[in-house]
Every structure is written in structure tokens, then in C-alpha cells.
Amino acid sequence: RCMSVPIAGAEGMGGRSRAEAAVDLGAGWVHGAQDVRNPLAALVASRGGVHPLVPSKRNADARGGERRPLSALLISHDMDTHLLTDAATGAEFDVECVAAAAGVFEAVLEECAKVRARHPPGREWSFAGEAAAARERLEQAGDIPMLSYAERRVWSWFVGRAAGTWFAAETADPGAAHGPDTGDGGTDAGAPLRGTPAFVHGGLQALLRPLAAGVDIRFSNPVKRVCRHASGVTLLLESGGRIEADYCVCTIPLGVLKVAPGAGVTTLAQSYQNRNLMPINSEEMRPPPRFDPPLPDEHRAALVASRVAHENRVALRFARAFWPQEVTFLGACADSVEDCSYFVNLSPLLGGEPVLLLLLTGARAFAMETSSEAVIRETAMRALRAALPAGCAVEEPLSVRWSRWGQDPWARGAYAQGELLPTPASELAAPAGRLHFAGDHVARRWTGTVHGALDSGKSTAKAILKAIDTDLLTIKTEDAGVASMPSAPRGLRGSSKL
């Protein structure tokens, strides 16, 4: 028999999913919810309160109802679901302008991937900076058209979305973001999930809760030390307790692993990443667990190379919806990436409740970690005024809620950043003895997503079961001639999920 013991340091389940009045300030979306390859698809299909982000009819009638992606690299977003405006004038950019900027963006992104592949390991690399340089090179070579003033502002919005954070599930190049496929879904198993993303009322915890039904999860049990040895893994708890296991699955988020002694980056001085792509390492936070002995060199190198995306969200609730209701996304375009913004209109998804969700990434998300409520409110309202069309009167919100994932001691950042480039997930997915890993940072496909984390967990579970079968075979061979097997063979005391 095999006993599993889930251990959690936090007080409750959910991880980086946190609902505030039906709005999740963390993992609140299911990408490709209709795709059978998505491990969450069955849960989505069996539960109410899940709303697909369907395209509007704003411009579709003029094209005979034809669906037009916003970009080949944002395949689950439609032109008709977005309203992109000029941050300075409030003028709406037409479809042709957006399409022109998207075409140049895709060519620049391909050029950036080539440059990144040749970039020396361990040296700073900025996507936003390289994108600007790559566009200039391609323009001078005549490989891309010169953009107009309006198209350049839309192009900056595209770069801002990609530089600050990138949904790996929406990319069109499976080799770039997802790495090699290890699943059983056929030749396209690592390809982007098909279908529109879905919003989950009440957050992803509502989907994950059924998975934990009947499971004895030991919450509020922070682990102080993870000790590997030849016969298994020993967990030393802060409470003074001790857990012995034959196998351990470590699902500690990337931001925590990167600053854990014996794992990744132990001090900020050891990191070559800039502040927007590294975990926040505050002495006031709960210290991460220590790995003893230290993880193998290949694991530590992979953790150093991995990047933590900083994204924070601000939910604004108003007395009434004064913005266009026929679109799902509102975006402000400007000359600089930092002045662009991105809102999600949650009103149609919440039964008419007037709620907007602001997604802040990169430097602005990092700044939110230490900003006051007044500063956060002003930042959100300034971004909203820039994103709305001219003539739209902006009202003050009734309430403002926000996240600070960088200061969360159990997260230290939002999620693993795939960045449309090869990730070290394959190295992180390899076990260190009997210590295995799972999570969004370990996912060899769909990096940085919940379904990617779940997919990696399934792969890890299969690997452990295979190892247990090997142990049983070894025991059976050693005990040849014995009539019956013991109910709890030696070497199979249990497995722990950290």
C-alpha cells in the first residue's frame, strides 16, 4: 500500500488563486477550456459559473461573422473583444492599424528569439530593449514596413504585453514556449490550447476544491528543512515535527525556490536578473525551507535561469458600468511601454456587476508591492482614464482590491515566465534522487499556467508510481520463494507532497 501525505505551509488551499468578491486576483482564467488536452477541461465542463470570453459582435457583422485573431501569437484573443485607444487622445485604433502593428510585432518577436538563443548565459537580457533594437534593424533592412505614428503606439502595447508577462497557453509556436512534448496527446500535444479562455466565477479555487474533497491536507505546517537521503526524504517542520517519506513531490513556487538555501538563488547578489523578473527577497518575510544536501548543480542552474513574472491585479467596483459593454478588453496605447495599460471588463461575466480588472506587469507590478492604497487607486484610475474612449466620463470606484504576490511569503512572485523562449523546465522536472518537483515552473508545456502545473503533477505522479513498481519488483526478486507479500513492503512507508 502507498500512503500520501499532503503538507501545506499556508492556512488554506488555493496557492496563487485568491478570490475577492467573486473576482480572482491571481489565477482566475482557464485557457482553452474547451480543449480536451487541457487537464482542467473536465472540471470546467462539470461546473457552473464558468463563462467563455466570447467575441463580441462589435465589428464581426462587417466581416460576415468571421473570427479574426488579435495576433497570430494571441490566438485566443479576437479583434472584436479588444478596444485599443490612444492614451493621449482617447481615439480608437481601427482594425487595420492593429493588424499592421501585430504583423510587425510577430516579425520582431521571431528576430528576438534568434538573438536570445545566441545571448551568453548569465548576462542580463531585456525583451523590451531588444524588441526596439530588432524593429530598427528589420526596418533598415527593409524586412518590415515602417510603422505610422498610430501603429507604433499600438506596437508598444503589444511589446508591453509580451515584456511584462506572457500567457504561454496563447502562443502559436509550441516549440518556443512549451518545450518538448511529454504527454500522450499526439503530435500536437504541446501545441497551444484551442478555444477561447474562460472566466471562473469565484476564482480557480472553485474548480480546484473538488480535487481536494476527502483529502487530509495538513495546512499550517511550514517545512523548515528538506533532507534527501538514499532511502527517501525527511521533512523537518517548523513545529518541530518530522515526516519520513520514500518519495516527496515538491510544489513550492518558483519565487520561493529561487531564494531557498540549497536550491536556487540564495542572495540577490547571486542573481543576474533585473528586479522585475526575480523574487522579492525581504528579511521580514518568512524564511524559505533549506534543502540539505543542496540540489544537484543542474537543478540549481535551472533555477537561476528561470524567471519569475511579476503581475499584480487591481479590481475596481463601480456604482454602474460607464464604459463600453460590447468589449471584453480595454487597452491604452502610448509611445512607451510603461504608459500602456490593460483592463478586463468583468461586468458581462459577473451578471452585470460593474467591475473592471487592471493587470499590471513588470515595473508597475513591482512598485505596487510597497505602494499605499491611495497610490494604487490613483495609478488604476489614471490608467483607466487613458484606456477609455474620448467623451467617456470616468466615475470614482466604490471599492478597490489589489494583490501583492511578490510580498506573499508562499509565492514571492506571480508565476514562471515562459517568455516565448526555451525554458529550463526539463531540468527542473528531473527528480533529485527521491525528491520530485511539480508546478507551473516545471511544466514542459503550458509554462506558467494552472493547467500546466496540473499536467506536470500528473507526469510526476506517473514517474513515482513507476519507481514504486520498480521497488516492488526488486523486493519480490529479493524475496523469491516467499508465498505472500507483506502489506507494507519495506521502502514504501509513504509519499509526501510538499
Side-chain angles (χ1 to χ4, degrees):
R1 63 184 176 87
C2 180
M3 179 180 66
S4 177
V5 182
I7 304 294
E11 296 179 355
M13 67 173 293
R16 284 157 287 170
S17 173
R18 182 174 302 156
E20 294 277 352
V23 178
D24 203 314
L25 296 176
W29 311 94
V30 178
H31 297 279
Q34 301 83 20
D35 196 315
V36 294
R37 294 170 300 152
N38 189 338
L40 292 174
L43 288 174
V44 171
S46 64
R47 184 188 179 277
V50 180
H51 310 282
L53 300 184
V54 296
S56 71
K57 296 183 178 180
R58 190 164 60 102
N59 294 317
D61 292 338
R63 299 192 304 272
E66 178 187 358
R67 178 182 182 273
R68 183 172 182 176
L70 183 67
S71 162
L73 298 169
L74 286 171
I75 59 175
S76 62
H77 285 25
D78 295 89
M79 291 281 190
D80 298 326
T81 62
H82 280 70
L83 173 62
L84 299 182
T85 60
D86 189 305
T89 65
E92 179 181 353
F93 294 106
D94 58 36
V95 171
E96 288 69 25
C97 177
V98 175
V104 169
F105 170 72
E106 291 164 17
V108 167
L109 193 61
E110 184 177 349
E111 178 70 11
C112 286
K114 295 177 182 177
V115 174
R116 183 68 177 90
R118 301 190 301 265
H119 195 73
R123 288 184 57 186
E124 183 73 23
W125 190 82
S126 166
F127 170 76
E130 181 55 43
R135 195 192 84 187
E136 184 176 351
R137 289 196 304 270
L138 293 175
E139 284 179 343
Q140 292 176 352
D143 294 331
I144 59 174
M146 296 285 291
L147 294 178
S148 68
Y149 173 76
E151 291 166 351
R152 287 199 304 271
R153 292 171 76 82
V154 176
W155 182 82
S156 293
W157 182 85
F158 273 104
V159 173
R161 290 296 301 143
T165 180
W166 194 275
F167 296 118
E170 297 176 359
T171 61
D173 182 358
H178 308 305
D181 171 48
T182 58
D184 302 319
T187 57
D188 68 337
L193 296 176
R194 291 180 289 269
T196 58
F199 168 79
V200 182
H201 194 283
L204 281 192
Q205 292 187 47
L207 285 181
L208 302 179
R209 206 168 288 121
L211 295 177
V215 179
D216 180 21
I217 303 176
R218 303 183 183 182
F219 293 111
S220 301
N221 269 297
V223 174
K224 184 177 182 179
R225 190 180 294 263
V226 180
C227 304
R228 292 184 292 119
H229 43 84
S231 60
V233 179
T234 300
L235 303 180
L236 303 182
L237 308 180
E238 288 187 2
S239 63
R242 180 188 185 98
I243 296 178
E244 300 282 353
D246 295 283
Y247 298 91
C248 177
V249 181
C250 177
T251 61
I252 295 175
L254 178 61
V256 179
L257 281 178
K258 284 178 70 68
V259 295
V265 180
T266 54
T267 67
L268 294 189
Q270 291 177 267
S271 175
Y272 62 82
Q273 301 168 24
N274 64 46
R275 67 175 187 172
N276 300 326
L277 298 169
M278 68 187 344
I280 292 178
N281 195 14
S282 171
E283 295 181 357
E284 300 178 357
M285 281 193 196
R286 174 188 298 277
R290 176 180 293 275
F291 287 79
D292 186 19
L295 296 180
D297 290 344
E298 54 270 24
H299 285 77
R300 302 190 70 182
L303 285 171
V304 170
S306 300
R307 300 160 83 89
V308 179
H310 280 295
E311 177 177 311
N312 278 311
R313 301 181 176 185
V314 183
L316 305 168
R317 187 177 297 272
F318 298 88
R320 67 181 187 90
F322 52 83
W323 54 90
Q325 290 298 291
E326 67 274 15
V327 294
T328 305
F329 304 99
L330 302 169
C333 306
D335 288 333
S336 69
V337 169
E338 292 76 14
D339 292 331
C340 297
S341 61
Y342 189 75
F343 283 88
V344 183
N345 175 21
L346 295 181
S347 181
L349 308 174
L350 294 175
E353 293 185 46
V355 178
L356 288 172
L357 186 66
L358 170 62
L359 277 61
L360 293 174
T361 60
R364 290 196 293 177
F366 196 90
M368 266 189 64
E369 300 291 343
T370 54
S371 296
S372 65
E373 178 178 355
V375 171
I376 292 174
R377 178 185 287 260
E378 174 54 30
T379 298
M381 294 307 295
R382 184 169 60 250
L384 179 58
R385 285 189 288 269
L388 291 175
C392 186
V394 179
E395 301 179 5
E396 287 298 313
L398 298 178
S399 65
V400 181
R401 298 287 184 270
W402 62 90
S403 64
R404 282 180 173 152
W405 291 112
Q407 290 194 7
D408 187 323
W410 312 113
R412 296 191 186 231
Y415 46 81
Q417 188 181 57
E419 200 187 2
L420 292 180
L421 297 167
T423 67
S426 57
E427 287 80 4
L428 294 175
R434 293 184 173 227
L435 176 63
H436 293 248
F437 298 89
D440 67 304
H441 56 292
V442 180
R444 300 194 189 197
R445 51 181 181 173
W446 312 318
T447 306
T449 65
V450 174
H451 53 275
L454 183 54
D455 188 60
S456 78
K458 289 185 175 182
S459 298
T460 300
K462 289 179 181 179
I464 291 179
L465 290 175
K466 184 177 180 179
I468 290 176
D469 287 341
T470 301
D471 286 348
L472 287 171
L473 180 61
T474 301
I475 294 172
K476 188 174 182 179
T477 301
E478 291 175 351
D479 297 343
V482 177
S484 61
M485 291 288 295
S487 59
R490 63 179 181 272
L492 293 180
R493 292 160 292 175
S495 62
S496 173
K497 177 179 179 295
L498 171 58

